[in-house]
Each structure stands twice: as C-alpha cells, then as structure tokens.
Amino acid sequence: MRLVWVELCKLLRLPSARAGVALGVLCAPAIAAVSAPSERSAAVDVAFLELTFGVIGAILLGVVAVSSEYRDDGEDSASTRQIVASLTAVPSRMRFLAAKAAALSLTVATTAMLATVIMLTMLAGTGEDLGPGVVGRGVGLIVYWVLTALIAFGITLLTRNGVVPLVVLLLNSSVISFTYLLSRVVPAANYFPDLAGPHMFLRRSPTGVEIGPVTGGLVMLGWTVVLLAVGAFRFQRSDA
Amino acid sequence: MCGTARSGCIAGVIEIENVSKRRGRVTVLDGVSFVARPGRVTGFIGPNGAGKSSTLRILLGLDHAQEGRALVDGSPFTALRRPLTCVGAVLDGSGAHRSRTGRAHLRWVAASNGLSRRRVEEVIELAGLESAANKRVRGYSLGMGRRLGLAAALLGDPGVLVLDEPFNGLDAGGVRWVRELVRTRARAGGTVLLSSHLMSELAEIVDDVVVISGGRIAARGTLDTVTGEHGSLEDAYFALTSS
C-alpha cells in the first residue's frame, strides 16, 4: 500500500498528469455543451457516447505514468531519468510496476467516476430519464477508461518514450479512428479494444456489429492483460 | 538466506564477482571482480567508457549482467526491501523529474522506504539545499542536482555509499563537502565505493583503488600498492590504462 501511495504522489504532482485528470473530467461536459441535442437517440445514449471521448485523459495518464520515468533532459541538466531513483529506492521491478499500475487505475477510475457523475447529473437536471441500467453503464464506462489507461501504460513500457503512443492513441480516439476505418473493411477489427470496450456502456454499436457488454469487456480485458504482460516482461528483462 | 525482506546492512561488504556484460556484440565488462570493504573508501577509476558506470549499474540491479554476481553482504541489491537504509547511491545525477521540487522528490523517495519527513528536512540541510528545496528541479544547476542526488542517497543513513563521478558539476564548496562526507562515513565504519576520472581528487581520499580499462580490471589493491613505483596515482593510472 505504501508504494501505491508513493506512486500516486509521483503521478499527481506531474503537471501533465493533472492535465489528464482535468481533460477526463471536463471533456465530456464540454462536448455536451457545444454539441446540438440529437433527435434520433436518447439523450442518455448521447451522453455516454460523449463520455467516450474523455478517455483521452485516461490515455494521457497511462502514457505519462511511464514516460515521466524515462524523461531525460540531457547531460547539462540537473534533472535526470527518474527510473534510476525509482529502482534504487524500490529495486523489485514487479512490485514497482504493480504499485504504479494500481496508482494509475485508482486515478483513472476516480476521474471516470467524476466525469460520469457530472455528466449524468447535468442530464438529470434537464429532466431527462436516465433509463434502466444506468449504473451498470456507468461502471462499464469506468472499466473502459481504466483498461484504456492500462493499455497505454503497457504500450509505453515498450516504447519508453511517450510521444509515439500518445500521438497514435490520442489520434485514434479523437480525430480519426483507424480501428473504426479498418472495421468497415475487416469485421474482425471490431474486436480491437477501443471498439469492443465501448459495448460495455453504449446501447447502439457505432460500427453496427453487436457485441454484448460482458463480451466487450472481456475482449478488452484480454487485450489489456496481454499488452501489460508484454510490457512488464520487457521492463523486467531489459536494462533500466 | 537472510537477504530478502531485511533492512539495513550488517557489515556492508560489496562484492563484484566475475561480472561480464555484453551489449550486442560489444563486450562492456569482462570478468570484473573486486571487493569494497567497510571502513574504507574504494576508488573505482578508469577512462570514460571503461565500464565504471556499467559495473555500478549492475551492482544496483539497474542493468543485467550475463555472467557473475554483484552482492551487498552476500545478497543482490534487488533483494533488499528497504534498500535506502543499506545502500545510498548517486548514479547519473539527481534522478528527479524536472517538474518536481527538490523537496517533493526527496519526500517520495523517503516515503517509498518508510522514512520520515523529518529526515527529509535533515538531508536538505545536510546537503545545503535549504534555499532550493521549494524550486523545481528544472531550474537547478548541475551542482545543485548533484547535491539533491546525494541528499536522497543519505535519506536512510545507509552504511554503504555508491557514488558515480560524485565531483562532476560541483563547485569548490561541493567538492570539499563530498570529500569530507566520504571520509567521515568511512571513518565511522561505512563502505564507500566511488568512481571518478579525477585522480587529484581521488588520491587524497581513497584507501583502496580499483583500476578498470576496456572492461577489464587492470589493477586493484591499496592506494600504495597500486601507486607502487609509479610515483603518483595519476602516473599509475596512465601507465595501467594506456596499454
């Protein structure tokens, strides 16, 4: 527990991580404020779709949790790679990594919960019916954010540098979704984590392929476990 | 095996046993062996790229060796649960993230080993960082970064100090502080292993010398035996590392 607390402090004192939390909390309400209400879908469905975009905050947190350890400002700087300090203080790499993943999950889960509560409260305030199963959908969204952050974390363990995972993952979940485009051609692409995961909280599939919420969650969990395992293996084996 | 889950060092003997390391086809270290003993300052000297940092990184579990072992009191560093109470190390700089303050850096390092915030204030004072502690590390000079690294290494009041090029970037006052710190620690029974390429700084403070060149140990022993008939440590160094 002590190490989780330490990793929480390390993460939340970084300006970029704070930006990730702010993005996550504020993104969905901001989109909701500027987008016109849709007549074809229920307001609560639109709200959950908008909450999907807040996942960019989770991605930022997942990437920064790792890339901040490897940031190197060059020989003339007093600031050097934090990983050296981290591993001389906590030499067991798996304990270190587990604490870091736990701290990241806690941060992202809290951020997602705040975002969901704010969004749904805004919605309920306008007299909208939140519909049945809204709690389950909310939990699904939180799980989606946490798993996305852990996927970003796992990928950054492989690259060490945050730029590539940040650009690829943020582009894919905001401006242009490569996986979505691919799914138009290859149906199996629907099982990419960013397409399977949202079935946990979206009623209507954006791609037209129906995957149950539990199946969607399990598919995403599978991706997360594999990417984390590969990242952890590399972290354990390679020189810091 | 008593090496897992224990804190602090009993004796503080550093043993490097036949360590070899290759990166791709390049042999970085080739059968490196030496011992650093309590109550003595061991100087680890050699040209740039000779393998000093690699050896120290392997000792601290940061890099992996293909062969051999690096031990502190008979166990690998990575088996220590609260390593800061046993080994204090400064490798390449402070290890502090640029957007943290010096104090915030020291606080998380202390917390990771269950050390108090009071101790953080003590090492800030010890390292002369009082006026810089609340500033972000990106604004630190190289020397201040060194002092911050040393402050972190001293947090757990460890019996063993491992310092890689500790004089780099320090001003005259800093050099003097490190020199006195190292001597005091060794006199009190601590083990100090420090690498450097500055012979003049080293000759005054070391008891034992290990010379490394091209990944191999060229000489090891007390200052007198290594200096031998060369006249000075510097002459011995050039004679041993030029071949």
Side-chain angles (χ1 to χ4, degrees), chain A residues 69-82:
Chain A
E69 293 285 342
Y70 292 99
R71 177 166 183 137
D72 190 354
D73 287 357
E75 279 189 18
D76 295 332
S77 170
S79 151
T80 54
R81 296 188 319 145
Q82 184 177 273

Side-chain angles (χ1 to χ4, degrees), chain B:
Chain B
M1 291 298 289
C2 57
T4 47
R6 135 201 114 183
S7 62
C9 293
I10 298 150
V13 182
I14 297 173
E15 290 166 283
I16 308 291
E17 288 179 9
N18 204 26
V19 167
S20 294
K21 167 141 188 98
R22 288 176 298 279
R23 281 201 188 93
R25 288 190 167 178
V26 181
T27 300
V28 182
L29 298 173
D30 185 5
V32 168
S33 296
F34 65 88
V35 179
R37 293 191 172 80
R40 301 183 74 80
V41 178
T42 304
F44 191 28
I45 62 178
N48 289 332
K52 301 187 297 289
S53 295
S54 291
T55 307
L56 299 184
R57 287 175 63 86
I58 287 167
L59 171 65
L60 297 169
L62 294 167
D63 286 1
H64 302 288
Q66 273 89 14
E67 282 165 51
R69 301 188 301 171
L71 307 170
V72 181
D73 278 354
S75 19
F77 176 79
T78 49
L80 298 170
R81 264 301 166 98
R82 292 173 66 214
L84 295 185
T85 59
C86 177
V87 181
V90 186
L91 292 188
D92 47 354
S94 64
H97 192 277
R98 65 198 306 273
S99 47
R100 260 184 248 292
T101 64
R103 180 173 274 114
H105 173 71
L106 292 171
R107 281 189 175 171
W108 80 252
V109 174
S112 70
N113 277 244
L115 302 165
S116 71
R117 289 196 165 192
R118 205 184 60 228
R119 182 61 188 160
V120 170
E121 298 310 312
E122 283 172 15
V123 296
I124 285 173
E125 204 187 317
L126 211 61
L129 283 169
E130 294 96 330
S131 60
N134 281 340
K135 297 196 178 105
R136 292 187 195 279
V137 174
R138 64 165 162 255
Y140 280 26
S141 67
L142 212 52
M144 263 148 62
R146 284 275 150 194
R147 285 172 180 266
L148 181 59
L150 277 159
L154 294 172
L155 273 171
D157 196 17
V160 178
L161 277 182
V162 177
L163 311 174
D164 193 11
E165 301 281 358
F167 302 110
N168 273 10
L170 283 180
D171 56 15
V175 169
R176 190 192 172 113
W177 173 56
V178 172
R179 217 189 283 152
E180 281 171 9
L181 175 80
V182 159
R183 287 305 327 164
T184 314
R185 289 264 150 183
R187 227 178 291 134
T191 310
V192 181
L193 172 60
L194 63 106
S195 80
S196 186
H197 60 271
L198 298 172
M199 293 312 118
S200 50
E201 293 301 341
L202 274 187
E204 293 178 31
I205 55 170
V206 297
D207 303 299
D208 297 323
V209 179
V210 178
V211 186
I212 187 168
S213 175
R216 290 162 178 261
I217 298 296
R220 59 175 175 237
T222 63
L223 181 61
D224 289 342
T225 39
V226 172
T227 307
E229 66 264 28
H230 296 291
S232 75
L233 181 61
E234 192 168 20
D235 292 340
Y237 170 80
F238 283 116
L240 289 161
T241 58
S242 59
S243 52

